[in-house]
Amino acid sequence: MLDIVIFGGIGDLALRKLLPSLFYLCRDGHLPDQNRILCVSRAKKNRAEFLDIIKEKLIQFLGHDFEEKVWTNFSETLNYLDIDLSGHDDWYKLEQYLSNTPSKDRDVIYYLSVTPSLFTPICAKLKENNLNSEYSRVVVEKPLGEDYQSACAINDVLASCFSEKQIYRIDHYLGKEAVQNILHLRFSNYLMEAVWNKKHIERIDIKVSETVGVEGRGGFFDRTGTLRDMVQNHLMQLLNYIALEPPKTLGADDIRDQKLKVIRDLVPIDIKNVKSSTIRAQYIAGKIGEHEVPGYLQDLKNQPYDVTGTAETFVALKVYIDNERWRGVPFYLKTGKRLDNRHAEITITFKKPENDLYHEPDSNQLTIQIQPALTVSINLLMKKLMGTGAALNRHQNQMDLNSGDEPRMRVPEAYERLLREVIKSDQTYFVRGDEILASWEWIDGIRQAWSEINLEMQQYEAGSEGPSLE
Ligand code: BG6
């Protein structure tokens, strides 16, 4: 028995991601019996109007996966309430709705799919109306602050209403199959764990490139920039999973303790090393595939926002971790918009053999591709058929994570996977409060160094690979 209450229930995230994910969970039998989904928003709508909107959007976003039969079942679980979240008058409606059930001990998941400025009134009202019981959970997601101070404030607001065990901070990268596979890959293969350290690894590259620009989000993006929009969360999560020490168990807190230690061991980037360790850059007009695309400043001009055009759309960092396992191994983090292709991958480059008889220019590499394909590949250097010692073959063995148990099994979307974990009350793939503060503290150091030395904003052509740190 479960109630899922989505604040911002007909907003973009709910329509594009949350409701389609819940539709799949309903179809595949992953929603508990007597489940109800309540969408809350300020707009006045009757039930029929609300259902029309949802159905139209599901058809749009699910394509061929939309099925009338599933819709009939799913729509029976859907409800709508109009509540002015920052006001006082409408909250009785939620109380009435939640108390109108046969069982008092229903679990309630509150999904705050709203701007963080509404977290305070929502938490206050839930508390005032005794709607935060031991059976409730709350789900929130980025932007969870824009620096350490504001992230502390958000943590405090959430803590005023819920205990840490009830808080699920989403980073959608943690819902991606390839990311969830990293710990399996590392800890269930002797071959991996035995060489997963500075003695054997030369460098690690974590790259997330996008072809999209700022789309309709110019106002938000120009206040935020890529360091805060992508690095503080997604890239740092990838770094944590690659670098963490073996947790005692696979329990959520054992894993999250180890992730926190990685962040605390990151060597600070400050005015001494910021020039050699970072690049910030902005795209200018260029060509992606066959399409001419405008530069960032031009993109902003086409939007109705008050903007300065000073945000970076690309960041590259060279990062070191000061612990026994990683001291001296560079981690190169690179991400940007309007790059040559949409691609996210982690590449681990191994050292050369100590007694390097063949002097091959290449080294062994393990590549974990997160998107668009879901693959893990290892290249091994081998002798060519009839070749001499000097003519080695670069042989790539590729495993496709996408193959699943059945051929062409559907890979669930990140939100679907994460919602399922919240329903199961498993916090493993959610970010803990202390982790988020530690990552902001480290990122704030970079921003401060950028501003103190006024680090040059480089430019890169849209459709290129972006600038390189080496
Ligand atoms: C979001 C950022 O968190 O992640 C966006 O705000 C970015 O700017 C997006 O485009 C990338 O996610 P994905 O899953 O498409 O790689």
Side-chain angles (χ1 to χ4, degrees):
M1 287 179 290
L2 171 71
D3 274 308
I4 301 175
V5 179
I6 306 175
F7 294 106
I10 51 174
D12 192 55
L13 179 71
L15 295 175
R16 207 176 268 277
K17 299 284 182 193
L18 306 182
L19 289 160
S21 297
L22 289 166
F23 182 92
Y24 279 124
L25 291 177
C26 171
R27 185 193 74 176
D28 297 342
H30 296 313
L31 293 180
D33 291 344
Q34 295 182 42
N35 160 73
R36 297 188 301 180
I37 298 167
L38 174 69
C39 292
V40 175
S41 146
R42 200 165 23 176
K44 301 258 177 249
K45 304 242 171 278
N46 64 36
R47 185 175 160 80
E49 288 167 334
F50 160 70
L51 289 180
D52 282 348
I53 297 176
I54 305 298
K55 186 173 181 186
E56 185 195 323
K57 292 293 176 187
L58 287 176
I59 292 172
Q60 177 183 346
F61 294 125
L62 295 174
H64 293 310
D65 283 348
F66 181 85
E67 290 171 49
E68 275 296 339
K69 217 171 84 202
V70 182
W71 167 248
T72 306
N73 291 338
F74 185 58
S75 60
E76 277 169 15
T77 68
L78 292 176
N79 299 282
Y80 181 74
L81 278 184
D82 56 282
I83 296 182
D84 174 6
L85 297 176
S86 47
H88 301 283
D89 302 337
D90 297 334
W91 286 87
Y92 73 94
K93 298 182 195 170
L94 180 61
E95 197 188 349
Q96 272 177 5
Y97 172 89
L98 289 174
S99 55
N100 183 18
T101 74
S103 157
K104 278 183 70 190
D105 299 341
R106 292 175 72 87
D107 280 12
V108 185
I109 294 173
Y110 296 108
Y111 199 119
L112 309 196
S113 177
V114 291
T115 156
S117 61
L118 286 172
F119 291 179
T120 305
I122 293 175
C123 286
K125 288 295 170 191
L126 292 178
K127 199 167 161 190
E128 204 177 299
N129 292 288
N130 291 324
L131 297 174
N132 57 333
S133 77
E134 59 187 296
Y135 301 107
S136 26
R137 274 156 270 166
V138 65
V139 186
V140 287
E141 68 177 292
K142 69 180 284 258
L144 290 176
E146 51 192 35
D147 55 17
Y148 178 82
Q149 290 302 339
S150 51
C152 282
I154 291 177
N155 272 358
D156 290 349
V157 169
L158 295 173
S160 70
C161 195
F162 299 97
S163 72
E164 187 61 39
K165 287 265 168 246
Q166 296 173 295
I167 303 173
Y168 291 73
R169 293 178 192 79
I170 286 201
D171 181 316
H172 78 276
Y173 265 60
L174 297 185
K176 294 188 189 259
E177 174 67 24
V179 179
Q180 297 200 348
N181 190 46
I182 294 175
L183 296 189
H184 284 254
L185 181 73
R186 283 191 53 188
F187 298 121
S188 54
N189 292 296
Y190 182 81
L191 271 181
M192 295 297 155
E193 197 43 17
V195 293
W196 210 260
N197 55 50
K198 62 179 190 239
K199 182 156 185 271
H200 304 284
I201 291 177
E202 183 73 33
R203 61 183 279 163
I204 295 184
D205 291 81
I206 300 178
K207 183 173 164 195
V208 178
S209 54
E210 299 186 89
T211 51
V212 290
V214 293
E215 310 304 298
R217 302 157 74 221
F220 163 78
F221 195 85
D222 201 52
R223 277 195 318 276
T224 308
T226 292
L227 184 68
R228 293 191 279 183
D229 184 45
M230 292 293 289
V231 181
Q232 178 273 330
N233 36 69
H234 311 323
L235 275 87
M236 285 185 78
Q237 288 297 335
L238 299 180
L239 171 73
N240 292 342
Y241 273 92
I242 290 295
L244 57 73
E245 292 299 314
K248 254 194 280 162
T249 70
L250 291 176
D253 276 327
D254 282 342
I255 294 177
R256 298 188 303 174
D257 285 347
Q258 296 305 335
K259 286 166 65 192
L260 179 63
K261 278 193 198 153
V262 173
I263 308 174
R264 295 210 163 128
D265 284 340
L266 289 176
V267 174
I269 295 183
D270 54 25
I271 50 171
K272 293 192 289 301
N273 56 357
V274 69
K275 259 194 165 156
S276 57
S277 312
T278 70
I279 290 179
R280 59 195 300 250
Q282 229 176 48
Y283 61 85
I284 53 172
K287 213 169 167 193
I288 299 184
E290 293 304 301
H291 304 285
E292 306 272 355
V293 294
Y296 176 65
L297 298 179
Q298 190 60 40
D299 272 345
L300 291 184
K301 274 200 192 133
N302 303 334
Q303 299 194 15
Y305 301 111
D306 197 11
V307 287
T308 56
T310 48
E312 73 286 346
T313 61
F314 174 98
V315 171
L317 303 178
K318 182 172 167 188
V319 176
Y320 287 96
I321 301 174
D322 188 20
N323 65 18
E324 258 326 285
R325 185 182 291 267
W326 296 116
R327 196 162 295 122
V329 179
F331 286 70
Y332 289 91
L333 275 50
K334 181 169 166 178
T335 182
K337 299 215 176 284
R338 288 277 192 243
L339 294 176
D340 49 350
N341 56 22
R342 177 172 186 258
H343 199 84
E345 71 178 23
I346 302 170
T347 306
I348 288 114
T349 304
F350 292 92
K351 293 194 163 159
K352 303 252 180 240
E354 265 172 30
N355 182 10
D356 186 8
L357 297 173
Y358 291 101
H359 304 294
E360 266 291 297
D362 288 342
S363 304
N364 292 140
Q365 284 186 324
L366 171 78
T367 305
I368 302 170
Q369 196 180 139
I370 298 163
Q371 58 199 28
L374 275 169
T375 56
V376 174
S377 51
I378 300 181
N379 66 19
L380 297 172
L381 307 172
M382 296 186 220
K383 179 183 157 301
K384 268 193 182 152
L385 185 64
M386 305 301 286
T388 65
L392 292 193
N393 219 347
R394 194 166 174 276
H395 197 90
Q396 188 120 328
N397 282 320
Q398 183 164 302
M399 283 155 281
D400 192 349
L401 299 180
N402 206 349
S403 54
D405 298 332
E406 300 159 27
R408 311 216 63 71
M409 198 168 139
R410 185 181 68 87
V411 180
E413 271 250 28
Y415 278 95
E416 186 182 336
R417 212 182 284 272
L418 293 174
L419 278 167
R420 202 170 161 202
E421 309 282 331
V422 182
I423 292 169
K424 289 194 293 186
S425 298
D426 186 342
Q427 290 185 303
T428 306
Y429 292 109
F430 297 87
V431 187
R432 212 167 56 189
D434 48 4
E435 199 183 329
I436 216 148
L437 295 186
S439 62
W440 273 121
E441 206 172 358
W442 189 75
I443 290 290
D444 284 357
I446 301 178
R447 291 184 54 231
Q448 172 150 2
W450 278 356
S451 102
E452 277 178 31
I453 68 156
N454 198 7
L455 186 77
E456 176 207 358
M457 178 77 79
Q458 297 190 25
Q459 294 185 326
Y460 61 98
E461 244 179 62
S464 69
E465 281 187 18
S468 171
L469 256 177
E470 294 160 278

